[in-house]
Amino acid sequence: MKRIDKNQTWEMRIAGESKAYKATVPGSVYNDLINAGRLEDPYYRDNEDTALELMKNDFVYTGSFNVDMDEVKDSDEVLLRFNGLDTLADIVLNKKKIASTNNMHRIWDFNIKDYLKEANNEIMITFHSPVEYIAEQFEKDPAILGSEDAMRGFPKIRKGHYMFGWDWGPRLPDAGIWREIEVLAVKKAKLDSVYVRQKFNSDLSKVTLDINIKAENKKSNEYDNYTPVAWVKILDPDGKKLYEKANIKFKFEETEKVSLTIENPKLWWPNGLGDQPLYTVDVLLVDEKGNCLDEWNKRIGLRKMEVSTAKDKYGSEFAQKVNNVKFFAMGADYIPEDNILPRINKERTYNLIKQCVDAHFNSIRVWGGGLYPSDDFYDACDEYGLVVWQDFMFACANYRLTREFEENILAELKDNVRRLRHHASLGLWCGNNEMEMFVKQGEWGAKNEIVSDYVKMYEYLFPRLLETEDPDRFYWPASPSSGGAFDEPNSENRGDVHYWDVWHGNKPFTEYRKFYFRYLSEFGFQSFPSIKTVESFTLPEDRNVFSYIMEKHQRNASANGKIMNYMEQTFLYPNDLDTLIYASQLLQGEAIRYGVEHFRRNRGRCMGAIYWQLNDCWPVASWASIDYFGRWKALHYYAKRFFAPLMISCEEEGLLSQSMNTNAEPFTVKKSIRLNVTNESMKDRNVTVKWQLRNSDGTVLKEEETGLRVKAMSSEWLEKKELPEAKLYENYVSYQAFENGEEVSSGTVLFSAPKHFKFVDPDLKVKVKGDEITVSAKAYAKSIEIRNENDDLILSDNFFDLNGDEKTVKILKGEAKNIKVRSVYSIR
C-alpha cells in the first residue's frame, strides 16, 4: 500500500453554530477549542463543568485533501483509513455518506476509489455527543451499570471509560479525530497479517522463527491467476543482514510460513536482568516485476515469555518467566497520560517510561479502563525492558452481549492484538479489570443474562480469538482472578490480587504483613501533588484541602479526610498546606514501602508488586507516584529504593505492629529487628550488612556487622535481633548493605509513630556545586526533601534519611535555584 493523500487541512465547528475554528488532526474538540480561545483550560478550578456541558453538542470536522488521480486509476482499491475516531461519527466524502463508526479503539478502513477527485476532496465528519448518547442508552437499558465515579450509561459506548470520570479523573468525554487519517492506494494485493512465532530449544541456544504471512487479493479479474510473492529480510540488533529470502510464492487467503533458525540468539530481557536487543523483520509483498505492493517492518525481541501457575504448597503460583527465569514483577499501573489526548506525544511517553526504568521498574500494567496506548508506548517498553501486562479495555462495568456488540468488540480486539503482538515487551493479555470479582458479588446489576454474557466474553470469545491471533501469549481472564469461573477471584493463594484494605479499608500499613499474595497487581495510597501543581489549578483562597476546588480535584469520595486520618495516626499536625502536602507524600511512600518490602522479602511465594498508580491524566490528588506535570512525588523516590535489584529491608517490631493506642494499659513492648537482603539480579552477590541502634541525635549505641552471600533471584533473611534496651521514643535503628565497600541500600526504622518520636533539630545545611547537591545534618533527619523554586528537580535520590552525617546527590533534571530542604522534624 502507498499513502497518496496530500495537503490535508481541517476546521471544526460546534453543530448549530456558524463559526468555524482551525482544527489539528490528529487532535480533539477540546484541544481545538482551547487553541481557538473558545474554551478555558478545563483543568483549572472547576472549568471541567463548563467543558462537560459543551460535550452535549455535536461537532462537525470539515477537511480537504488532494490525491494523484493517476495513482488512483492505477489502484484496485483506495482506502480511507481512520486510525482512531472518538467515537460516534458519520463520515461524508464529496457529499456522499461513506460510513458511521462507533468505537474509538478500532481502525476503520473504507474503499473510496469511486468517490475521489484530484483536488479538494471534501470530507465531513460529524461527531455526535457522547454525553447525550450514554444518557439515552441508560434510559433505555438502566440495568447496565458500572463504576459510580463515572457517568451513567458509560458501558454503552466503546470509548475510554475514564473519560466519563473515575476516582482519580475528571468527567471530560472529549471527541474528535484522535489518531491519524491516511489515504492508501492498494494495487493487486495487500498484506492481511504477518505474525512472527518463536520456538526455542531447551537451553535457548537456538530459536526457530516462523514468519506467518497472509495476503489479501483485491479480486480484480486481471489478477485471477496472479500469485503473490513475498520477500523477507531480517537484520540483527547491530543492523547487519542476518537472513534474506526472495520469491516466496503462496496462495491468497492462505498463510505461508517462512521458517529460519538463529543460533546463539541475542536474548531480550526485562530491565535489570539483561539487555534489550531488537531484531528487525521486514516483509515485502511484491508483484511479478518486483514492485513493492505492501510492507510490514517491525522490531522484535527474541525471548521466551511465559506465566507459571503451577501448583505448590501454598496453592498455585503466579510468576512471570522470561527465558526460563522467574522474575519478581516490579512496577505500577499505567493510566492514559492525559484527558486531552493530543497532549500525549512520543517524547512525553518515552520520558515517562524512562522514569519507570530510573526507578528500577521491570513491569508495567496497562489498566483496562483507558485506551490501548500508541505504538510509542510499546516501542519504549521494548527498548527499556518493561514487561507489559495488557488489559483489554473493559473495566468496572457490565456489558450486554448483543450480536452487534460482539462483532464490534471482537473487531476491536483483533485490530489491537495484530497491532501489538510483535512487541517483545508484551507479556500477557488480560480480559478486564475487576469484573470477575464484581460480577460474582452481584455488583452493578450483575445477574442472570449479565453473568452469562460475562462468561461468554472473557472465558470463551476472547480466548478463542487469541487462539487464532496470538496463541503464544498468556491470557488471563480478569484482574484480579484465580483463573476464571468465579473461583475465588481475589484469593491470597492463587492468581493475582487487588488489595485495598490499606486505604479504602482504613487499615494500618502493617496490615500488608499479614498476607502473602502470589502477585499483587493493584494496591495503593493517595497523596496530594506538589504545591506548585496545586497552584496550577487554584486561586489562593482555594488552597485548603477541604475547599470546593481542592475537593473537585480529589475524585475519591472523602479521600482528603482519609489522608488526614492516616496523618493523625502518623505525624504531628502540619502547620500549613505546603507542609501538609509534604507529609501526605511521606505517608504514601511509607505505605507502599511497607507492602513492597514485605512482598519482596517473601519472594518465591509472592512474585509481583504492581502499585496503583504510576501517573495522572490531570492535576489531582491521587495514588500516582508522578503527578500530571511530571513532578516526582516522594513515592517515586521510595520506589527507586524498594525496587532496587539489591535491597536491604527491615521487619521491625514496635508499637506499630502491636498497639497504637496511646492510652492503652501499660505493657511490655517487643522491640526487635530482622533484616533481609533481596537480590533480583542474575548473579550471586556478596554483601556486608551493618546495623546500628542510635539515639535521636544519631549517636551509635550498639552496632553489628555480618557478611552474606545472596544467591541470584532470591531473598535471604538474617537472624532476628531482640532490642529490649531500646527506648521507644528516643532510639531508632539504621541499617545498610554494602557491596565491594560501596553502600548500595539503606534505611531506618522507628519503634513508635514519628509523631511521638523525640526528633531533635537536625539543623540541615545544603551546598550546591555544579550538578551536585550535598545535604548535611547534625542529628537524625528522616525523609529529607530537596526542592528548588519550581519544585521540578529530579535527583539521583531524594526523601532520604541522614544519621547526623551528609549525602551528595546528582541533579538529573532542573536547575538548583533557591534550594530548600526539610525533614520530618519540619512537620509541626
Side-chain angles (χ1 to χ4, degrees):
M1 292 188 293
K2 180 181 179 182
R3 184 167 182 176
I4 62 171
D5 60 286
K6 295 177 288 185
N7 306 321
Q8 280 193 30
T9 60
W10 291 90
E11 62 181 22
M12 65 86 66
R13 59 184 175 84
I14 301 171
E17 296 185 8
S18 58
K19 184 175 177 57
Y21 305 96
K22 182 180 178 181
T24 301
V25 172
S28 77
V29 167
Y30 284 152
N31 192 62
D32 290 332
L33 293 178
I34 290 168
N35 289 341
R38 173 69 169 75
L39 177 67
E40 293 185 4
D41 178 6
Y43 299 165
Y44 183 66
R45 302 193 81 230
D46 58 353
N47 286 350
E48 169 199 353
D49 295 344
T50 301
L52 176 61
E53 185 68 20
L54 194 63
M55 267 303 143
K56 292 181 179 179
N57 293 287
D58 294 347
F59 301 89
V60 181
Y61 276 76
T62 306
S64 68
F65 61 90
N66 301 331
V67 294
D68 184 335
M69 287 305 293
D70 289 337
E71 294 271 14
V72 172
K73 292 172 184 177
D74 199 35
S75 300
D76 296 289
E77 200 175 63
V78 178
L79 298 179
L80 179 59
R81 172 167 292 176
F82 298 96
N83 288 286
L85 292 175
D86 179 17
T87 292
L88 305 170
D90 294 330
I91 305 161
V92 174
L93 178 64
N94 293 330
K95 300 184 179 180
K96 296 173 184 173
K97 184 172 180 180
I98 301 299
S100 296
T101 68
N102 60 355
N103 189 329
M104 79 174 294
H105 305 301
R106 287 180 60 180
I107 299 168
W108 302 90
D109 283 349
F110 305 106
N111 186 0
I112 58 169
K113 181 178 179 180
D114 295 339
Y115 305 132
L116 288 171
K117 54 186 180 178
E118 184 152 1
N120 298 320
N121 289 279
E122 295 181 358
I123 183 169
M124 183 174 72
I125 307 174
T126 301
F127 290 96
H128 298 286
S129 166
V131 173
E132 295 295 314
Y133 178 81
I134 64 170
E136 293 167 5
Q137 293 299 312
F138 181 75
E139 188 173 347
K140 292 176 183 177
D141 191 5
I144 299 299
L145 301 171
S147 170
E148 292 81 2
D149 294 299
M151 298 172 70
R152 288 190 298 268
F154 78 88
K156 286 289 192 175
I157 185 172
R158 292 308 298 151
K159 177 178 172 68
H161 289 347
Y162 83 107
M163 301 171 92
F164 294 100
W166 219 259
D167 57 3
W168 37 260
R171 297 186 181 101
L172 292 172
D174 206 350
I177 306 165
W178 76 289
R179 283 182 172 158
E180 198 170 31
I181 295 177
E182 305 169 278
V183 179
L184 303 168
V186 182
K187 184 175 181 181
K188 298 183 180 179
K190 70 182 183 72
L191 289 170
D192 177 66
S193 69
V194 178
Y195 181 41
V196 182
R197 303 182 70 174
Q198 305 179 25
K199 298 177 183 176
F200 285 88
N201 65 348
S202 58
D203 66 359
L204 309 182
S205 62
K206 295 181 183 179
V207 59
T208 298
L209 298 187
D210 291 336
I211 303 172
N212 298 276
I213 307 167
K214 188 176 180 181
E216 182 180 338
N217 187 2
K218 299 330 298 173
K219 306 298 184 185
S220 172
N221 292 334
E222 182 183 349
Y223 310 122
D224 281 347
N225 298 317
Y226 174 68
T227 300
V229 176
W231 177 81
V232 174
K233 182 169 68 174
I234 297 177
L235 305 180
D236 72 11
D238 297 320
K240 296 178 181 177
K241 186 166 67 176
L242 184 69
Y243 173 88
E244 186 170 23
K245 186 174 182 180
N247 297 317
I248 304 164
K249 296 183 179 181
F250 56 103
K251 296 179 180 179
F252 283 120
E253 313 303 334
E254 294 184 11
T255 300
E256 175 67 19
K257 182 170 68 176
V258 178
S259 296
L260 67 141
T261 298
I262 299 175
E263 305 271 356
N264 301 312
K266 296 178 181 179
L267 299 178
W268 185 95
W269 291 94
N271 178 44
L273 301 184
D275 296 329
Q276 294 79 42
L278 297 171
Y279 292 71
T280 300
V281 179
D282 193 17
V283 177
L284 294 180
L285 187 67
V286 298
D287 65 15
E288 66 280 3
K289 296 180 181 179
N291 298 312
C292 179
L293 303 177
D294 204 355
E295 183 176 15
W296 186 91
N297 184 286
K298 304 292 182 185
R299 296 182 303 168
I300 67 169
L302 303 182
R303 81 290 181 274
K304 185 179 180 183
M305 187 85 77
E306 304 169 280
V307 176
S308 173
T309 57
K311 291 185 177 181
D312 59 18
K313 63 182 179 180
Y314 305 112
S316 297
E317 70 176 356
F318 194 93
Q320 292 179 283
K321 294 172 64 177
V322 173
N323 304 328
N324 297 332
V325 176
K326 295 177 185 176
F327 67 95
F328 190 101
M330 302 184 292
D333 295 282
Y334 167 92
I335 65 169
E337 295 166 50
D338 216 301
N339 262 82
I340 300 174
L341 298 180
R343 294 179 177 178
I344 305 172
N345 55 44
K346 180 177 180 178
E347 181 182 6
R348 181 174 172 182
T349 297
Y350 263 74
N351 187 47
L352 182 63
I353 298 303
K354 175 63 166 58
Q355 291 177 68
C356 294
V357 173
D358 289 342
H360 302 298
F361 286 30
N362 59 29
S363 300
I364 192 167
R365 173 175 172 247
V366 178
W367 169 76
L371 310 167
Y372 300 95
S374 70
D375 294 313
D376 295 331
F377 174 89
Y378 302 93
D379 287 341
C381 291
D382 289 348
E383 293 173 22
Y384 286 120
L386 295 190
V387 176
V388 179
W389 172 310
Q390 179 65 56
D391 283 2
F392 290 125
M393 292 301 115
F394 302 86
C396 299
N398 292 316
Y399 308 91
R400 194 177 296 285
L401 191 64
T402 63
R403 178 62 60 86
E404 179 187 10
F405 186 74
E406 177 183 334
E407 291 173 353
N408 195 1
I409 61 174
L410 290 180
E412 168 191 322
L413 264 63
K414 184 176 178 181
D415 281 350
N416 287 284
V417 170
R418 288 190 172 190
R419 178 170 69 91
L420 303 177
R421 64 189 177 186
H422 69 278
H423 283 284
S425 57
L426 185 58
L428 65 88
W429 299 108
C430 179
N432 69 81
N433 176 75
E434 296 189 336
M435 284 317 302
E436 183 183 355
M437 175 176 68
F438 285 133
V439 168
K440 182 176 182 179
Q441 295 170 4
E443 290 285 339
W444 302 316
K447 58 183 179 181
N448 303 329
E449 72 274 12
I450 299 302
V451 177
S452 174
D453 286 348
Y454 174 92
V455 174
K456 291 173 187 173
M457 285 174 61
Y458 306 111
E459 299 187 13
Y460 177 66
L461 292 173
F462 290 9
R464 188 177 67 171
L465 179 141
L466 289 169
E467 285 174 6
T468 300
E469 297 295 337
D470 198 13
D472 297 333
R473 199 91 51 186
F474 183 82
Y475 173 71
W476 195 238
S479 181
S481 180
S482 294
F486 306 113
D487 180 17
E488 293 186 274
N490 211 21
S491 171
E492 177 185 359
N493 297 312
R494 294 179 292 152
D496 74 308
V497 165
H498 293 189
Y499 179 75
W500 283 102
D501 278 358
V502 177
W503 183 256
H504 288 308
N506 296 306
K507 296 290 182 67
F509 306 161
T510 51
E511 197 75 7
Y512 288 121
R513 295 181 181 176
K514 296 180 180 179
F515 300 97
Y516 301 87
F517 304 119
R518 310 316 301 268
Y519 189 109
L520 199 54
S521 49
E522 271 194 32
F523 66 113
F525 197 95
Q526 275 204 9
S527 72
F528 296 107
S530 159
I531 186 65
K532 290 297 182 182
T533 297
V534 170
E535 288 171 359
S536 77
F537 63 81
T538 59
L539 292 171
E541 58 264 33
D542 302 324
R543 292 167 197 160
N544 181 299
V545 295
F546 298 121
S547 74
Y548 174 74
I549 296 301
M550 288 292 285
E551 291 191 341
K552 284 289 283 185
H553 288 253
Q554 164 59 275
R555 307 314 282 245
N556 184 210
S558 304
N560 288 355
K562 191 183 293 289
I563 292 172
M564 299 305 294
N565 175 53
Y566 275 102
M567 194 171 297
E568 176 273 329
Q569 299 171 41
T570 310
F571 295 120
L572 295 175
Y573 194 83
N575 52 21
D576 56 44
L577 178 61
D578 186 31
T579 307
L580 188 154
I581 289 170
Y582 166 65
S584 80
Q585 293 193 13
L586 298 188
L587 281 173
Q588 181 186 35
E590 289 293 326
I592 305 305
R593 179 187 68 82
Y594 259 85
V596 173
E597 289 184 351
H598 167 70
F599 300 124
R600 287 193 67 186
R601 287 194 288 264
N602 290 280
R603 188 200 189 282
R605 188 172 179 180
C606 179
M607 288 301 290
I610 308 297
Y611 66 77
W612 185 271
Q613 66 204 71
L614 170 63
N615 58 306
D616 283 328
C617 62
W618 74 315
V620 65
S622 79
W623 296 271
S625 62
I626 300 176
D627 79 14
Y628 175 73
F629 293 107
R631 295 184 172 104
W632 285 27
K633 295 183 181 179
L635 173 56
H636 211 71
Y637 287 103
Y638 274 64
K640 187 173 183 177
R641 294 193 287 269
F642 61 58
F643 283 155
L646 190 62
M647 180 197 70
I648 188 170
S649 65
C650 180
E651 184 178 84
E652 83 290 348
E653 282 187 298
L655 285 173
L656 271 68
S657 60
Q658 293 166 71
S659 174
M660 288 294 292
N661 183 357
T662 304
N663 296 305
E665 183 176 340
F667 67 99
T668 301
V669 179
K670 295 178 182 178
K671 290 160 288 181
S672 70
I673 62 168
R674 192 180 183 196
L675 297 173
N676 177 281
V677 180
T678 302
N679 177 15
E680 199 65 26
S681 72
M682 297 285 281
K683 63 180 182 179
D684 296 354
R685 311 287 282 267
N686 293 313
V687 299
T688 299
V689 172
K690 299 180 181 181
W691 66 268
Q692 306 83 29
L693 178 67
R694 297 177 183 263
N695 269 330
S696 58
D697 63 2
T699 305
V700 175
L701 304 175
K702 181 179 182 178
E703 59 184 329
E704 289 189 11
E705 175 180 327
T706 187
L708 184 68
R709 184 173 179 82
V710 188
K711 293 181 179 179
M713 313 301 279
S714 75
S715 174
E716 297 286 343
W717 286 96
L718 282 75
E719 180 184 353
K720 183 177 180 179
K721 300 292 182 179
E722 302 285 352
L723 295 171
E725 71 274 28
K727 296 179 180 179
L728 276 175
Y729 306 112
E730 298 174 29
N731 297 160
Y732 73 100
V733 170
S734 57
Y735 50 89
Q736 309 86 28
F738 294 83
E739 185 178 37
N740 300 321
E742 180 182 351
E743 182 180 297
V744 293
S745 182
S746 64
T748 67
V749 291
L750 305 176
F751 299 109
S752 69
K755 66 179 181 178
H756 293 154
F757 187 78
K758 296 179 181 178
F759 287 102
V760 296
D761 185 353
D763 190 21
L764 296 176
K765 303 293 184 184
V766 60
K767 293 186 296 184
V768 179
K769 185 177 181 180
D771 64 348
E772 293 184 336
I773 301 174
T774 300
V775 180
S776 61
K778 291 183 178 179
Y780 175 42
K782 187 168 180 60
S783 305
I784 297 169
E785 181 192 21
I786 306 169
R787 57 181 179 157
N788 65 358
E789 188 172 61
N790 198 41
D791 200 8
D792 59 359
L793 284 176
I794 296 181
L795 305 172
S796 59
D797 197 10
N798 207 351
F799 297 92
F800 51 81
D801 302 341
L802 286 179
N803 301 300
D805 51 359
E806 68 175 31
K807 180 169 184 169
T808 298
V809 299
K810 288 276 190 182
I811 300 171
L812 305 179
K813 181 183 176 184
E815 296 181 5
K817 186 176 181 180
N818 295 333
I819 295 294
K820 295 180 180 179
V821 292
R822 57 182 167 183
S823 71
V824 170
Y825 179 80
S826 305
I827 306 174
R828 56 187 61 240

